[in-house]
Amino acid sequence: MAPDQGNSFLPHLGGGATDFELAGQLCYALLLREGEIPVAQLEAMCRSAMASPEGTLYLANGDGTLELPASAGPWQALLEEARRSGTVATRPDALACPLTFRDMLLGLLAVGGKAEGYSALEHRRFGDLAALLAGALHARQAFNLRQEDLARMEAKVEEQSQILDHIHDSVITMDLSGYIMGWNKGAERLFGYTAAEAVGRHILFLYADDGSETLEEEDDLFYNAFLDHGRREFEVRRRKKSGEVFWASVSLSLSRNEAGEPAGLIGYLVDITNQLEREEKLRLHAKIFEHNSEAVIVTDAMQRVLSVNKAFCDITGFSEAEVRMSLPALLQPTRDDPNLAAEIQVALASSGAWQGELWDRRKNGDTYPVWVSISSVKNTRGILSHYFLVFSDISERKEAERQIYRLAYYDALTGLPNRSLLFSLLEQALIEAQRNQTHGAVLFVDLDRFKTINDSFGHAPADALLKEVARRLQETLRAEDVVARLGGDEFIVALFDITKREHAALVGQKILDALAEPFQIEHHEVLLTASIGIAVFPDDGRDAETLLRNADTAMYRVKQTSGGPLFYSQEMNLRSLERLKLEGALRKAVERQEFRLYYQPQVELATGRIVGAEALIRWHHPEQGMIPPTAFIPLAEETGLIVSIGAWVLDAACRQGHLWREAGYEDLTIAVNLSPRQFRPGLSQLVNETLERHAFPGENLELEITEGMLMHNSEAVIQMLEDFHQAGVRLALDDFGTGYSSLAYLKKFPIDNLKIDRSFVSGIPHDGDDSAIAKAIISMAKNLRLLVIAEGVETEEQLDFLRAAGCDEIQGYLFSPPVPVEDFQLLLERNNG
C-alpha cells in the first residue's frame, strides 16, 4: 500500500517524542538551513528512524527525472521496482520507496541490513517516513523556486532600475491613485528632487498650475480617458524644486498585473520648453516670411527658386508656381550692367552676402528699382544648402528722394535751381576756373515793379508770370549756363565760361530783350522790365557769397540809374555799405522820434482857400541833417519799418489836426498816405483809436490809398474800407491812372476823392495826351460824384487848364511846397484869415 504523501505524517510515526524530534530535524535540515540539501544527513536520519544499518537516498532533478548512478549497485533493482510501482518495494532485508508529491518524483529512498527483517508495522512506518520526507523536500523545492524567482525578479528590477537610471529623460511610476512609486535619475535631473524626496508623494506636488480647472482637467487625463485607452500623451506645465516652471511632454502608460488588471501608471516626461520655443519661433518665422512687406525668395544651392512669399507675388505679379525651380531674375545678367551678376556671385562666394540696388521686371513688363539683400545658408556640416533674397520695391522711395532733392535744390514754382544748388554749382565752377585760369560771370536779375503787379492781379497770376519769366530766361541761355531763382522776383544767371567781360553784358541785354516782350495776365497785356547787375569771377569775387553780394550791389545801382546791365565796382560796394548804415539809422530813428511832418496845402479852386493839407514825413538825422523821403521810404517799405513809421505819421497828423481845430480851422482836412504794408488786419482799429485819442473827427481825416491796394478785392479789404466809411473817414485814390485797375472798382469801393498823378499834370496844357487824360479823369469823377484834386501843379497855365476842365482842388509848388507846421500855420492865417 502506497503511503499518502499529501497529508501530515506525524501521527503515523507514533506521535512520540522521538518521532517529533525526527520531524523537527527534517524540517530544520530542509527548511531552515541555507545552502545545498544535506542528502547524507537526511539519509542518516532515515536509517536511524528505521534502525537500519544501511540505506541510500537519491534526489530527482527539478523536472522529476532521476538517473541512478552505477554506485547504486545492490539498491538499483529495488529502487527501480519502487519507482515503477509507485509504492514501498520490499526485500526480506531491505525497503525502498519513491518520494513523490502530487505525482512528481522528488527522489528514491531505501534502507536495509536489519538482520531480523522488517515487520508490517515497520513497512507502514517507512512509508510514513517517505511521505514526511517527500513533503519536506517539496516545501524545500518550492522555497528554492521562490527564492530563485525572487532573485531573478530582484535582478530584473535592478537591471530595469539601472536601465531607467541611464535614460536621460524622466521616468516616474505611480500607483493608480497617483502616488509616486518610482523615480529615476532623469527625473532627479529634471525636477531637482531626489528619489527619497519624491517617492511616496502624490504627483500633484509637481504641478505648476494652481487653478482648479487645470487640476480637474489633468485628473480627467489620469483617471477617465486614460484608463479607457491605457495610454495618453499630452503637454503640461510642471514646476521644478527651484520654482522654475517648464513645459513637459508626458506619455502615460497603464501597467497591469498577471490577471490583466490595472496595477499602476508609468509616466515618461520630456522637457519640451526649448522645443516649443523652437516651434513657436518657426511659426513666427513662417508668419514673418508670409506676411513680411518685403519680398522673400528662398533658393536651393543651385539658386533655383524653392519658395516665395506673398509680398513677392504682390510686387512682381508672378505666382509661386510660375517661378518655382527657375533662376531668380535678379541674379541674371542685364544689358545695362552685364558684369553685375558676376560681381554678385563673387561676393556670395567670398563673403556669403551681397546687398545693393538692382532693377527688376514685373510680369506685365514694367521695370522698377529694388533694394536687395542676398545671403547664403549653410547646414550643420558647413555645406552650402540655400540662398535667400530679400528685396523691396523702392520706386516710391526713389520718387520721394527725387522729390526731396527737387524741394531741397530746386524752386517749387519755376523748377529752376534754388539758392542751395546755385551755391554748390558756383563753388564747383570757381574751383574749375581757378584751376584752368578761366572766367565766368553772375548776373543778378531783379524784376522792376513786380510788387505792383502782384498787388494788382493777385498771387496766382503773378506766379504764372514768374514761371513765364523763368522760361524766357532759360531760352535765352546756352545749355551749359545756369539760371536760378533766389526767391520772389530775383533770378540769378550764372555763365560758367566767358572769354570777355563784354559777353556777360551781351547776355544781360538778351535777357532784357526777352523780357521786353509783353506778358499776358488775365487778358491784360503787361510790360515788364528788369534790373541786372553783373559780377565777374574771379575778379569780383572768389566765392559764391561774395559774387552774389557784389552782383546784388550792381543791380541796386541799376535801379537807381534806370540803366541797362551794369558791372560791379568797388564804389557800388561802398554805397551798399552806406545803405546798410542807413537801415540801422532808420531803425534808431523810429525809437528816437527823429521824424517830422511837413504839410503841403490843398487849395480849393472855386474859393482859393486852403481846405486841406497832405502830411508828408521828413527825417531829421542828427548828423546828416534833413533826409528826403525818396532816400528812406523805399528802404522802410522793404524792411517793414514803414508800419511803425506809418502809425507815427497818423498819430502826429491827428494830433496836429486837433490843434488846428482848436485854433478855429474846423473844416481843414488832413490827408495821410497809407503804405500797402500798413493795409492789413487791425488798421481800422488803429485809425479809430488814434482819432478817439486826439478827439479828431473822422470827417477831417483823409486816407490816401493806391490802386494796387484795391486789386486784392478780398473780404478783409472791403470790410476795412467799410469801417473807414462808417467812421466818416474820407478815402482818396492816389496816383489815379498809373495802375492797372478797372474803373468798375470806383463804383464798388467807397472812394471820395481822385488825385490826378503829377505825371499827367506835368504835360498839360502842351501835351495833347496828358491833357486828354486829365480831362477824362475829371469828367469821369464828376459823373461818379467824386471830388478831383490835381497834384504837382507848378505853373499858371496848368492851373488855368485844370480850372477850366472842372478840377476841384490843386496841390503843388505853384501855391506852396511842403512846409513845417509853423510855416503852414502862417499860410492858413494869411490865406484863410
Side-chain angles (χ1 to χ4, degrees):
M1 175 179 178
D4 183 2
Q5 298 178 359
N7 299 317
S8 174
F9 306 109
L10 291 180
H12 298 283
L13 293 176
T18 303
D19 294 335
F20 278 110
E21 288 177 359
L22 175 62
Q25 290 173 0
L26 286 174
C27 287
Y28 178 80
L30 287 173
L31 302 179
L32 299 181
R33 289 184 60 178
E34 296 181 358
E36 297 291 331
I37 296 177
V39 176
Q41 184 179 358
L42 294 176
E43 182 183 298
M45 290 181 187
C46 292
R47 290 198 310 269
S48 174
M50 295 302 296
S52 300
E54 296 176 359
T56 185
L57 174 63
Y58 296 101
L59 298 181
N61 297 322
D63 56 359
T65 60
L66 176 59
E67 293 291 336
L68 292 175
S71 61
W75 301 100
Q76 186 165 1
L78 184 62
L79 291 174
E80 290 292 350
E81 182 182 353
R83 176 158 52 181
R84 283 193 305 272
S85 64
T87 185
V88 177
T90 62
R91 273 190 338 208
D93 60 344
L95 299 173
C97 184
L99 303 177
T100 60
F101 189 86
R102 295 178 181 172
D103 298 329
M104 177 175 252
L105 180 66
L106 302 178
L108 295 173
L109 174 66
V111 293
K114 192 174 180 182
E116 64 274 19
Y118 298 95
S119 64
L121 179 62
E122 289 175 326
H123 282 194
R124 289 196 301 275
R125 181 179 177 84
F126 182 68
D128 291 341
L129 176 62
L132 178 63
L133 180 59
L137 283 173
H138 172 72
R140 173 61 184 264
Q141 189 180 53
F143 176 77
N144 286 345
L145 289 175
R146 285 197 296 273
Q147 287 294 97
E148 290 174 0
D149 289 343
L150 182 61
R152 284 196 299 272
M153 289 177 63
E154 288 179 349
K156 187 174 183 180
V157 168
E158 179 64 24
E159 180 184 0
Q160 290 177 344
S161 230
Q162 291 179 358
I163 293 173
L164 290 178
D165 284 340
H166 282 84
I167 295 175
H168 179 76
D169 297 317
S170 302
V171 179
I172 303 173
T173 58
M174 296 163 283
D175 61 17
L176 292 178
S177 297
Y179 286 93
I180 298 173
M181 300 173 61
W183 185 268
N184 75 335
K185 294 292 185 182
E188 287 188 10
R189 288 190 295 268
L190 179 59
F191 288 96
Y193 294 102
T194 64
E197 293 173 315
V199 172
R201 299 179 68 176
H202 198 278
I203 193 68
L204 290 175
F205 90 97
L206 300 176
Y207 283 23
D209 297 307
D210 297 329
S212 59
E213 294 180 2
T214 304
L215 294 178
E216 291 176 2
E217 180 182 345
E218 292 203 25
D219 285 344
D220 288 342
L221 291 172
F222 264 92
Y223 303 114
N224 297 327
F226 169 71
L227 293 178
D228 292 339
H229 303 287
R231 185 176 182 85
R232 189 63 182 263
E233 296 181 0
F234 49 94
E235 295 176 358
V236 294
R237 281 158 44 91
R238 292 291 181 257
R239 190 185 305 278
K240 298 182 180 182
K241 184 177 181 179
S242 64
E244 178 187 350
V245 175
F246 66 97
W247 281 97
S249 173
V250 178
S251 176
L252 274 181
S253 299
L254 188 64
S255 64
R256 299 179 183 272
N257 58 18
E258 295 177 356
E261 298 174 345
L265 303 172
I266 302 173
Y268 184 83
L269 286 84
V270 179
D271 184 351
I272 60 171
T273 303
N274 292 335
Q275 175 186 335
L276 291 180
E277 290 177 354
R278 286 193 297 270
E279 291 176 356
E280 182 63 26
K281 191 173 183 180
L282 288 175
R283 284 194 295 270
L284 178 61
H285 286 177
K287 288 184 178 180
I288 293 174
F289 175 81
E290 187 58 29
H291 298 290
N292 192 356
S293 60
E294 294 183 310
V296 181
I297 305 173
V298 179
T299 76
D300 59 14
M302 302 300 293
Q303 297 183 353
R304 293 172 300 196
V305 176
L306 297 178
S307 63
V308 297
N309 67 344
K310 182 176 181 296
F312 171 89
C313 301
D314 294 340
I315 292 174
T316 65
F318 290 102
S319 67
E320 181 172 339
E322 290 176 312
V323 298
R324 185 171 175 81
M325 299 310 294
S326 65
L327 297 176
L330 292 172
L331 298 179
Q332 304 304 307
T334 62
R335 270 188 319 180
D336 297 333
D337 193 349
N339 298 322
L340 182 57
E343 294 174 5
I344 293 175
Q345 297 299 336
V346 170
L348 291 176
S350 60
S351 65
W354 182 89
Q355 65 175 1
E357 185 177 317
L358 297 173
W359 282 87
D360 195 18
R361 187 179 299 277
R362 305 187 204 274
K363 185 177 180 179
N364 62 9
D366 293 344
T367 58
Y368 62 103
V370 294
W371 182 262
V372 186
S373 294
I374 309 173
S375 300
S376 59
V377 180
K378 295 181 179 180
N379 60 21
T380 55
R381 292 172 294 170
I383 299 174
L384 177 67
S385 61
H386 297 85
Y387 291 95
F388 68 89
L389 296 80
V390 180
F391 69 89
S392 56
D393 183 351
I394 59 173
S395 302
E396 292 184 2
R397 192 186 81 186
K398 297 287 284 186
E399 179 57 31
E401 289 175 354
R402 285 192 290 270
Q403 183 67 16
I404 292 171
Y405 182 83
R406 284 195 296 269
L407 291 175
Y409 295 106
Y410 288 88
D411 176 54
L413 176 64
T414 63
L416 298 177
N418 62 8
R419 179 184 292 270
S420 296
L421 182 54
L422 174 66
F423 268 62
S424 177
L425 295 174
L426 272 178
E427 292 295 347
Q428 294 177 17
L430 287 167
I431 293 173
E432 290 294 326
Q434 184 176 6
R435 181 185 300 117
N436 302 325
Q437 299 297 311
T438 56
H439 294 77
V442 170
L443 285 69
F444 200 116
V445 182
D446 184 88
L447 305 181
D448 298 330
R449 299 177 65 248
F450 178 76
K451 189 174 184 303
T452 303
I453 297 174
N454 192 53
D455 293 341
S456 300
F457 292 96
H459 294 300
D463 287 347
L465 177 65
L466 289 173
K467 288 193 282 188
E468 176 61 17
V469 169
R471 187 190 67 80
R472 294 189 187 184
L473 290 176
Q474 287 178 305
E475 289 183 349
T476 305
L477 302 176
R478 301 171 300 179
E480 61 267 27
D481 299 328
V482 172
V483 56
R485 182 183 177 221
L486 294 187
D489 59 353
E490 296 179 338
F491 296 84
I492 297 295
V493 172
L495 310 176
F496 292 140
D497 187 12
I498 59 173
T499 55
K500 296 181 180 180
R501 292 171 64 92
E502 292 76 10
H503 292 168
L506 292 175
V507 173
Q509 190 57 51
K510 287 176 63 178
I511 291 173
L512 292 178
D513 293 341
L515 297 179
E517 293 294 326
F519 292 84
Q520 292 293 326
I521 300 182
E522 294 185 343
H523 309 295
H524 294 277
E525 190 174 81
V526 177
L527 296 178
L528 192 64
T529 59
S531 300
I532 301 177
I534 305 174
V536 177
F537 62 83
D539 300 341
D540 296 333
R542 295 181 179 273
D543 61 84
E545 188 72 39
T546 302
L547 275 174
L548 290 181
R549 184 173 64 248
N550 291 340
D552 186 22
T553 301
M555 183 272 297
Y556 268 102
R557 178 62 184 274
V558 174
K559 284 190 175 294
Q560 295 170 359
T561 60
S562 301
L566 188 65
F567 286 92
Y568 166 78
S569 68
Q570 188 65 28
E571 177 188 357
M572 294 178 193
N573 195 26
L574 293 175
R575 290 181 181 177
S576 178
L577 293 175
E578 290 297 326
R579 183 176 177 274
L580 291 174
K581 292 180 181 179
L582 181 64
E583 180 182 344
L586 184 59
R587 293 183 182 277
K588 293 180 180 178
V590 177
E591 302 170 3
R592 298 173 181 175
Q593 298 291 311
E594 296 176 356
F595 296 112
R596 303 286 185 271
L597 281 186
Y598 277 42
Y599 297 90
Q600 187 170 32
Q602 295 175 336
V603 180
E604 187 178 48
L605 289 180
T607 64
R609 291 172 54 80
I610 299 175
V611 293
E614 181 177 2
L616 299 168
I617 191 170
R618 298 292 185 268
W619 180 12
H620 189 272
H621 193 280
E623 297 175 359
Q624 300 179 28
M626 194 65 69
I627 299 177
T630 54
F632 69 87
I633 289 298
L635 183 59
E637 292 273 3
E638 182 181 341
T639 58
L641 292 172
I642 194 66
V643 175
S644 57
I645 293 174
W648 178 87
V649 170
L650 179 65
D651 184 81
C654 290
R655 182 173 60 250
Q656 183 58 50
H658 172 72
L659 295 177
W660 279 328
R661 281 179 58 81
E662 288 188 335
Y665 303 104
E666 296 181 355
D667 296 332
L668 189 67
T669 299
I670 306 297
V672 175
N673 287 282
L674 286 182
S675 164
R677 296 290 290 269
Q678 292 176 268
F679 221 66
R680 59 185 183 177
L683 176 61
S684 57
Q685 182 180 355
L686 173 66
V687 171
N688 290 333
E689 290 175 353
T690 305
L691 292 172
E692 183 179 351
R693 182 166 57 252
H694 296 295
F696 190 59
E699 293 79 3
N700 291 83
L701 178 64
E702 181 177 277
L703 299 178
E704 295 188 0
I705 60 178
T706 62
E707 295 180 39
M709 299 180 188
L710 303 181
M711 304 311 293
H712 292 290
N713 195 19
S714 66
E715 292 295 329
V717 171
I718 295 173
Q719 185 59 51
M720 197 179 301
L721 295 179
E722 288 297 333
D723 291 343
F724 293 147
H725 185 69
Q726 292 295 327
V729 176
R730 299 178 61 82
L731 293 174
L733 193 55
D734 195 13
D735 300 335
F736 184 75
T738 60
Y740 303 96
S741 64
S742 169
L743 298 178
Y745 288 143
L746 296 178
K747 293 178 61 178
K748 185 173 183 179
F749 296 106
I751 304 299
D752 300 293
N753 297 355
L754 285 184
K755 295 190 73 173
I756 304 175
D757 187 68
R758 68 179 64 248
S759 63
F760 301 127
V761 174
S762 63
I764 58 175
H766 306 292
D767 188 296
D769 292 336
D770 288 345
S771 299
I773 292 173
K775 284 182 179 181
I777 293 174
I778 294 170
S779 175
M780 179 190 62
K782 292 300 181 182
N783 291 330
L784 294 174
R785 294 183 296 279
L786 300 177
L787 186 144
V788 184
I789 179 170
E791 60 180 355
V793 179
E794 298 180 358
T795 67
E796 290 290 344
E797 291 176 315
Q798 293 170 348
L799 177 62
D800 293 340
F801 178 88
L802 293 169
R803 181 183 287 115
C807 184
D808 297 303
E809 299 174 6
I810 66 162
Q811 174 183 339
Y813 274 67
L814 177 62
F815 188 84
S816 173
V819 295
V821 63
E822 297 83 3
D823 294 343
F824 190 85
Q825 181 74 27
L826 294 176
L827 286 173
L828 279 175
E829 294 172 359
R830 183 174 64 246
N831 195 73
N832 291 9

